[in-house]
Structures are given as C-alpha cells and as structure tokens.
Amino acid sequence: MCGIVGYVGEKQALEVVVEGLRRLEYRGYDSAGVAVVTGDRLDVRKKAGKLANLESLLGEDPLEAATIGIGHTRWATHGGPTDVNAHPHVSEDGTVAVIHNGIIENFAELRDELTSAGVVLTSETDTEVVAHLLAAELPRCDGDLAEAMRRTCRQLEGAFTLVAVVADDVDVVVAARRNSPLVVGLGQGENFLASDVAAFVSHTREALELGQDQVVQISRDTVVITDFDGNPVEAKPFTVTWDAAAAEKGGYDLFMLKEIAEQPKAVADSLRGRVARDGRLHLDEMRLTDAELREIDKIVVVACGTAYHAGLVAKYAIEHWTRIPVDVELASEFRYRDPIVDDRTLTIAISQSGETMDTLMALRYAREQGSKALAICNTVGSTIPRECDAVLYTYAGPEIAVASTKAFLTQIVAAYLVGLYLAQVRGNMFGDEIRSVLTDLSDMPQAVDLTLDTSEGVQALARELVRTRPRCCSWDAMSATPWPSRAH
Ligand code: GLU
C-alpha cells in the first residue's frame, strides 16, 4: 500500500532507490528496505521504522557499486512492522528478492503448500510466498524472471504490485500488477519502476502506465510488457506534467482530495479475502470462541472523533443484524462515568492509528471489568489491536490529511463486517443472507467511483448555488434570523 521503486541504469542504484523512497515518504510507512544486485549476489538491507534507520545500514562499498536495485516502504497488512517482516523478501536459496504492495489473498494456502514441500518461511507476511514461488519457477523457465513472474502471478489472488530481481542478472528488473498501481519511468540508458511517478520525476517525466494483469521487464535500454499469459501488450505512454510537490499528491492539490479519490480502492482492499473457502466470513485475528461470542449480551463501541461517528453507523448495522444492544461512547468520557460493563460485554475499539490514547484507556478500563474486546484498526501491530481478543483491520493505507475520508469509510465497512460476523456466529442470519449483503458491499467501490465521477457537476452546481438568495427575504435578514425548528 506504500512505496515501491525499481531501477536499472548507470547510476548508483542505491542512491536512486533511496531517493525514490524518500519522495514516497509522504505516503506514510512503518518500515523500509532495499535489495541491490552486486556482481553475482543479492544484497538486502531492511529495517523497521523510518528511512533513517535503513540508511544507517547502508553505505558500504559493495552496495554502492550496484547499478540495479529495488526499494520498498511498507505499510503492514500481514504481520507486524518488524525488521523480519520488512521487504524485500528473499527466497530460501538467496537468489530472488521481491517487494510487494497490496494483499495476497490466498497466501495461507500457498504457504501451506510451500511448507509441505519443505520450504521454511521466516516472516509473517503474505508477501514471502512470492519469493519462494519465483525461485521454484525460475529453473522451470530457464531462469527467465519475467516468465517466472507470469507463472507466479497466475497462482496469486488479491491485489499486488510486485517487483523482483535475481542474483545472477545485473540488467533485469521485473514487475507485475493487479489491482495496485505501477508505472514505468523511461530514461536514457536507464529505466524505473514505481508505485507512483513521484519516485522518479526528478530523473524523467516520460512514463508508461501499466494495465491490469500485466508483467513488465525493464533493462537499461528496453521495456517489454506482456499480459500474465505472455502475450505482448502496448502500454499507454504519458508525460508527467506535475512538479515534484504535485507528484507527491498524485496530481491533486490536497492530500485530502487524493485520499477521497483513493476511497474505492480502500474499500475494495478492506473487503478483500474476507470470505474463506467454506463461504464463511472471517476476521484477521480471533482469540474468542464462538461460545464466548454467543454469550455476549451488550456491545459498547469506544472511539474518538471520526471513529466515534463510524461507531454510530456500526450501532445501526450491528443492532439490525444481531439484535444485541449497542452503546456508542466517546472514549474520553467512558471510564469517568462508571459504565455497566461485564464479561458478557463486547467492547469494540475503533481507531485508525491504533494508538488513540483515550480509546486505549477506555479499552483497558473495559477489559478490567471483564469485557471481551475487538479492534477495528488501520495500523497492523499497533497497541489497540494488540490488546484486543479479536481484530478486523481496515486496509485503507496511511492517511495523511487530518480530515478523515478513506479511513472513515473503511471503518464503516469494517463495522458492517463485524455485524455480519456476529450474526453468522450467533445464527441470526442464514449464510445466503450474509452473502447477499457481502455482494452488495462488493459493489460499493464501483458505487463510490460513480459518485466521485459526479464531482465536476457538483462543483458547477455549487458555484451556481452559492450566490442564490432566498426569495422570501434579504440575505441580511436571513443571517439575523435563527433557523426555524423543523416540523415533526
Ligand atoms: N501485504 C504486505 C505486507 O504486509 C505488503 C504491505 C504493503 O503494501 O506495504 O507486508
């Protein structure tokens, strides 16, 4: 969900890649890493935390000689923000390194297959399976990385931008995309790959936009694009007209506008892979038994600000589907008013960051009274989900604007999923009914997209209406008159 950079050319790859990552920093991230090919080996460095942490691991001679490399800033979706979970991920034999943005929905099945074949996985991420799959495919296609990527992608479900390099090729970077962004930057004797143009706009403004389900292989002088079956495809060239500052905001004037535009993807990602093979809905982490959930007779949502408003929507959905009474409490008030909470209460803590202090304190208070706890959160590995019995993550990616948009919308989606999950466990709804609501929810990204498409028309209308004065009275009289109360 965060930053991806790939480079092959004549410059020091490390410098280009780290500079690219720095330009993508605005997106927010929890860890960072790079891989460069030096001679005939891969050198990988990665570290949790800010880029400065990673940089303290860099700067050694062999790395500086490399002219091909990849870099990643991570926003964890699977596995906490640790050094081990940071990207790149490397195959067991150390020959392939891969970085990934997005979510591999079927990673658990793939991991089980790899484990039965004797592969030892070292991280908790969904990404690592890709490194092992690529390494397994390479010998089957004479070491052709692009072909190995195509074969691997055909086994993957979900959303991904993947970029890989191999130890014995100092001239090829291969990438693939499905439901996640990837652009190619075209230079002279050098080429770039990135999740957005901000990463390379200081080097080149000529770019190619990749389509859905495509694989691209870049070398110094060539760019070859195919679909996942190997059929050649033409990519759409474009020239970046934004300056670096605008590029950071994806061409929007404000982060908030950019994040509003990201809502369809945020919703789609948050719904991704929620239904297991047996057709049942599941949460990300569940340490409560079905019996415990059946005993719940009251739900308390604790949250602050925007998340509190998502809680108000949660109340409607959960009460409607489960018939359990739901109270929505401002977290800052909760523990000062002697609320009725016991071991049959489920406290739902909603927090984008997972670190909202009042929400954390309310959660701890509820737990002290014996309450079960569930978190709805956008930050994997943060404190609030760590202290809960169950977690449902929203996959909105980092939100920079203070006014919440995509995080708020995904909190509502998550609240719906929690309601449906409880209804499933407690038998309030039939499987078919749940699936029908899920189908409606899966149409939501498109509906949001259509709504956003109307924004020009809405702006035109707003410009027209802003000057409109009520006929009945003058503007001065209006502003001096209190609003009449609504008739009931
Ligand atoms: N799902 C991957 C992980 O948790 C990638 C996250 C990202 O897009 O940064 O490592």
Side-chain angles (χ1 to χ4, degrees), residues 21-57:
L21 292 180
R22 200 164 283 299
R23 295 204 180 268
L24 298 178
E25 257 194 315
Y26 70 91
R27 300 161 72 113
Y29 59 101
D30 56 46
S31 44
V34 292
V36 293
V37 187
T38 48
D40 58 359
R41 81 188 174 95
L42 268 176
D43 223 312
V44 174
R45 307 285 160 95
K46 50 191 196 169
K47 197 81 191 143
K50 290 289 158 201
L51 267 177
N53 298 0
L54 171 68
E55 279 173 310
S56 64
L57 300 178

Side-chain angles (χ1 to χ4, degrees), residues 292-312:
E292 284 173 313
L293 288 177
R294 280 191 212 106
E295 274 174 13
I296 299 297
D297 62 7
K298 175 183 179 178
I299 292 176
V300 180
V301 178
V302 288
C304 296
T306 300
Y308 169 79
H309 288 90
L312 295 175

Side-chain angles (χ1 to χ4, degrees), residues 1-2 72-79 85 87 89 100-103 125-127:
M1 308 212 165
C2 291
H72 185 260
T73 45
R74 177 173 187 240
W75 182 262
T77 64
H78 293 69
N85 289 337
H87 301 209
H89 288 281
H100 164 221
N101 279 171
I103 297 165
T125 63
D126 50 338
T127 307

Side-chain angles (χ1 to χ4, degrees), residues 242-272:
W242 314 321
D243 59 20
E248 283 190 348
K249 298 191 193 88
Y252 293 93
D253 291 338
L254 302 166
F255 279 116
M256 189 173 165
L257 287 174
K258 173 174 171 284
E259 287 160 6
I260 286 171
E262 284 169 354
Q263 289 178 114
K265 179 158 172 20
V267 171
D269 284 345
S270 298
L271 287 168
R272 209 174 285 294

Side-chain angles (χ1 to χ4, degrees), residues 299-302 329 331 334-335 339-349 358-374 387-389:
I299 292 176
V300 180
V301 178
V302 288
E329 303 266 356
F334 183 67
R335 67 200 157 108
I340 302 165
V341 177
D342 59 27
D343 59 356
R344 292 167 74 113
T345 307
L346 175 68
T347 299
I348 301 181
D358 283 322
T359 307
L360 179 61
M361 290 305 161
L363 169 70
R364 285 184 179 161
Y365 178 87
R367 291 190 63 100
E368 278 161 22
Q369 316 304 308
S371 171
K372 317 279 186 300
L374 182 150
E387 297 198 10
C388 284
D389 306 298

